[in-house]
Amino acid sequence: MKRGIRFWLAYALAWVPYAVSYVVIFVQQGSSLKAAIIDALINVISAAVLGLLVFYLCGRLSWSRYKRAWFFPTQVGLAVVYASLWVTVVSLIFTLWTSLREGKLTIVYLQSYALQWEFFSGLMIYATLASLAYVLQISADLREEERRVREIELRAARAEALHTRTELTALRAKLNPHFLFNTLHTL
């Protein structure tokens, strides 16, 4: 299976347990199963789509030993932006969904406990996705470094073999005239 397809499949499947947990929470709060599934999909799909932005940003802000002073504050700021953006997007989608269902503009936004939960979840989702992005980035860097080390070792082995071959050729060149002259002298 191609690498890109594996990533998308794993990315989609990773959100399933999160969606199921949302359905369970909404059903426990008294929502019907259908409403719980719709609410969970709105929350999880918006988080997953915004998660792609996290992967993009983490690719642009690569982990480096030399940039540690600004790295963590930047990540904390981006986590707050992600969580705020997610709360806003979910509220907009719920507003649109409710307005279409009722036939009139009905503004829906998260309040109190739901707002706190959604915001905290957004911070945790960002931390999880950013950590995963950097683990993937570092593992790719390590694989590249290992490939370079193997290539250098191979070049060194080839150079050593060439050096040995050159020494052997030089010894043969020295021996051949001696052998010839010794044979002629004996004759």
Side-chain angles (χ1 to χ4, degrees):
M1 188 182 301
K2 289 189 178 179
R3 224 167 130 170
I5 294 171
R6 278 191 312 203
F7 170 79
W8 289 110
L9 184 61
Y11 187 73
L13 289 176
W15 288 99
V16 171
Y18 193 62
V20 169
S21 69
Y22 260 88
V23 169
V24 169
I25 289 170
F26 290 144
V27 167
Q28 285 180 347
Q29 290 179 348
S31 295
S32 68
L33 183 61
K34 180 182 175 185
I37 290 172
I38 291 170
D39 291 349
L41 288 176
I42 289 171
N43 278 286
V44 172
I45 290 174
S46 60
V49 170
L50 289 173
L52 297 175
L53 183 62
V54 174
F55 277 103
Y56 173 77
L57 289 174
C58 290
R60 304 287 294 166
L61 302 169
S62 64
W63 167 258
S64 171
R65 279 182 252 178
Y66 310 108
K67 302 175 185 176
R68 284 189 185 160
W70 63 267
F71 182 80
F72 291 108
T74 301
Q75 293 301 319
V76 169
L78 287 172
V80 169
V81 168
Y82 175 86
S84 301
L85 190 58
W86 185 38
V87 167
T88 304
V89 166
V90 167
S91 295
L92 288 173
I93 293 172
F94 277 129
T95 297
L96 181 63
W97 178 257
T98 305
S99 296
L100 288 174
R101 236 182 22 216
E102 294 180 3
K104 63 178 183 169
L105 179 62
T106 307
I107 296 179
V108 178
Y109 54 92
L110 299 171
Q111 301 174 14
S112 183
Y113 177 72
L115 177 62
Q116 293 170 10
W117 170 257
E118 195 86 1
F119 189 81
F120 180 74
S121 294
L123 294 175
M124 293 300 103
I125 290 170
Y126 180 87
T128 302
L129 292 175
S131 298
L132 179 62
Y134 288 117
V135 164
L136 292 173
Q137 190 180 98
I138 290 169
S139 67
D141 291 347
L142 287 175
R143 279 193 305 275
E144 177 62 26
E145 186 66 28
E146 287 173 356
R147 186 196 62 76
R148 276 188 289 207
V149 166
R150 282 194 307 269
E151 187 176 304
I152 289 170
E153 288 172 350
L154 181 62
R155 286 181 182 172
R158 285 180 183 162
E160 181 67 30
L162 185 61
H163 178 72
T164 303
R165 194 178 311 140
T166 305
E167 284 181 346
L168 189 58
T169 304
L171 279 174
R172 280 188 187 136
K174 285 181 180 179
L175 285 177
N176 282 343
H178 287 278
F179 179 74
L180 180 65
F181 288 131
N182 286 341
T183 305
L184 286 174
H185 182 65
T186 302
L187 287 175

